[in-house]
Amino acid sequence: MQRREGIAALVRRLDNEPVIANLGPATFDLYAAGDRDANLYTWGAMGLASSIALGVALAAPDRKVFVTDGDGSLLMNLGSLATIARQAPENLVHIVWDNRMWYETGGQPTHTSTGTDLGGIALAAGIRNVARAATVEAFEEALDQAIREPGPWFIHVDVEETGEPRQRPKVIVEENLVKFRRTFTG
Amino acid sequence: MPRIWSALHVPDLPATPRTGLLYNPPAMHWSDVVIESLREHEVWHATYVPDAINWQVLSKLEADPAFTVVPASREEEAVGIAAGIYAGGGRAAMFMQSSGFGNTINGLAQLLTAYRIPVPLFIGMRGGLSEFNEVQVPSARPIPAILDTLHIQHYAPQREDEVQKYVDGAIELAYASRMPVAVLWYAQLVGAKRATS
Ligand SMILES: Cc1ncc(C[n+]2csc(CCOP(=O)(O)OP(=O)(O)O)c2C)c(N)n1
Ligand SMILES: [Mg+2]
């Protein structure tokens, strides 16, 4: 499956729930699925998407919070999994699009290409619910369960890159932050 | 012989040189002043990687049900979590040791500064007066210059009777400017850690 199919499936299920997107393709594909105020796009701070999402989940415990991460970025901040496990926010759903490469910088293979298992690491870190998917159907099933049942959830998704060109979102990050925050403060 | 970490050693403060007035310590410990300031400004979350200086604040925050305190694995993560708390409608302060400052720089630049996310940063400064661990020196010394280069304002109260003014002021400045603002705790205020044998 492709990341954009997964993101489309996610966005179809959302009302005002926040989504935090990793830099690069995860941000571009989320924007392409339709801009919304409750999307927080990151353009840097590589590795921190799941940390930001943990903060949002702690500040807004009544809303399900989604983060769409990349394998290379999560590998840069594996400690985040242990921090999330310790806080155990029931409203956090951490989705990782594992394309086994640093796609944004030219497709260099990451450590998941040689067998490092991010789902296994999440489980060992103490994340309560870990699901795996390699098809859109399996991903939707995992996602529906993660929406229904308390987390924290970690959904490890195998994705394939097609190499299609992407549009860069027209986003001013300060505006993005202000709009995103207003979905909580009104 | 093994080195044993002692409690913080607070050096004797001299009489104020110009006025000759004796130093008059305020009734509240500096750590309680920080807590009351956080409460006053509705900063209900704190993220941290521990250090012995900030622990004087954090241990009391953890015991106070009004606050949610989040320990992180690494300082940059603590910056990310604090940013997320603000993005999600709350307010968070972040606490670290000077050794951990280097771990935060990309988060300070590409997240807090780029997105204009206000986070009060409290940095326990090692590497100054009475430091015994030489490796603390080169990581602490450049922090003010790095903060200047990042356009992050920073303040360092030297005496207990200055703490309220500095901490209230730094927190107000952070939210007014929508930027991180740092408060640096030097040995002049909080004492130096002693290695005893
Ligand atoms: C701290 C830091 N190091 C390196 C980079 C360069 N960089 C940008 S995107 C990226 C790859 C991200 O990989 P992954 O999270 O797997 O996402 P993908 O591009 O595969 O979707 C890298 C290394 C960066 N932006 N920031
Ligand atoms: Mg990748």
Side-chain angles (χ1 to χ4, degrees):
Chain A
M1 70 175 279
Q2 294 169 33
R3 183 192 305 95
R4 67 181 60 181
E5 296 174 301
I7 286 180
L10 170 64
V11 170
R12 272 201 301 278
R13 286 164 170 76
L14 298 178
D15 177 21
N16 65 351
E17 289 83 1
V19 183
I20 294 88
N22 189 41
L23 80 168
T27 270
F28 301 165
D29 285 356
L30 181 64
Y31 185 86
D35 189 24
R36 45 199 288 284
D37 286 356
N39 287 350
L40 187 64
Y41 308 105
T42 70
W43 295 79
M46 183 172 164
L48 294 189
S50 62
S51 307
I52 300 166
L54 170 60
V56 175
L58 293 171
D62 299 333
R63 259 183 247 189
K64 210 87 180 185
V65 177
F66 299 86
V67 48
T68 85
D69 210 346
D71 53 321
S73 298
L74 182 55
L75 284 165
M76 193 179 269
N77 188 16
L78 285 174
S80 178
L81 294 172
T83 304
I84 291 168
R86 181 167 179 183
Q87 295 300 318
E90 293 190 348
N91 57 333
L92 182 62
V93 182
H94 186 180
I95 301 162
V96 179
W97 314 115
D98 187 355
N99 56 7
R100 300 165 300 284
M101 61 178 99
W102 289 285
Y103 182 75
E104 183 61 12
T105 47
Q108 305 86 351
T110 63
H111 313 338
T112 65
S113 74
T114 50
T116 296
D117 172 14
L118 291 171
I121 292 173
L123 210 55
I127 305 289
R128 235 172 261 151
N129 303 292
V130 175
R132 296 168 193 272
T135 63
V136 177
E137 297 69 39
F139 174 66
E140 291 192 314
E141 197 179 312
L143 191 57
D144 286 331
Q145 196 183 356
I147 290 169
R148 253 190 342 260
E149 295 174 19
W153 278 91
F154 183 89
I155 308 180
H156 183 190
V157 193
D158 272 343
V159 294
E160 308 300 329
E161 292 297 342
T162 60
E164 281 172 51
R166 290 187 164 79
Q167 290 285 317
R168 289 200 179 227
K170 293 188 175 59
V171 172
I172 294 169
V173 298
E174 298 169 46
E175 274 178 18
N176 184 192
L177 191 274
V178 169
K179 281 191 200 165
F180 181 86
R181 191 170 196 265
R182 278 205 195 112
T183 67
F184 301 94
T185 59
Chain B
M1 197 175 290
R3 281 192 143 161
I4 296 165
W5 293 92
S6 75
L8 284 169
H9 160 65
V10 180
D12 295 330
L13 284 154
T16 316
R18 250 170 296 169
T19 62
L21 290 174
L22 283 175
Y23 174 71
N24 227 341
M28 258 206 278
H29 189 258
W30 66 270
S31 60
D32 295 307
V33 175
V34 176
I35 292 166
E36 289 322 305
S37 188
L38 294 174
R39 200 189 307 281
E40 178 77 19
H41 296 94
E42 302 186 347
V43 183
W44 299 122
H45 287 83
T47 68
Y48 74 96
V49 174
D51 72 301
I53 297 167
N54 280 312
W55 185 242
Q56 296 178 76
V57 179
L58 291 162
S59 57
K60 292 177 194 161
L61 282 183
E62 282 195 340
D64 188 329
F67 294 96
T68 301
V69 183
V70 185
S73 310
R74 191 170 187 274
E75 288 80 3
E76 191 185 18
E77 216 193 306
V79 167
I81 300 165
I85 288 165
Y86 182 76
R91 288 180 165 195
M94 191 256 159
F95 295 77
M96 69 182 118
Q97 186 177 77
S98 47
S99 338
F101 176 77
N103 292 349
T104 67
I105 290 177
N106 201 40
L108 298 183
Q110 296 197 330
L111 199 54
L112 301 192
T113 303
Y115 286 75
R116 300 286 299 272
I117 299 176
V119 176
L121 306 168
F122 294 98
I123 309 178
M125 295 298 292
R126 296 287 303 274
L129 288 176
S130 301
E131 179 61 65
F132 69 90
N133 179 353
E134 66 178 278
V135 309
Q136 290 284 358
V137 179
S139 63
R141 196 170 42 204
I143 289 177
I146 296 170
L147 287 167
D148 285 336
T149 303
L150 290 169
H151 293 176
I152 295 174
Q153 303 202 74
H154 53 92
Y155 300 91
Q158 304 284 310
R159 307 183 345 178
E160 289 225 33
D161 61 355
E162 293 174 337
V163 172
Q164 184 174 359
K165 184 174 70 186
Y166 278 65
V167 173
D168 280 347
I171 294 176
E172 280 162 24
L173 177 61
Y175 293 107
S177 60
R178 299 188 313 287
M179 277 285 287
V181 174
V183 175
L184 278 43
W185 306 124
Y186 282 99
Q188 285 88 329
L189 174 75
V190 296
K193 213 173 190 185
R194 245 192 327 209
T196 53
S197 51

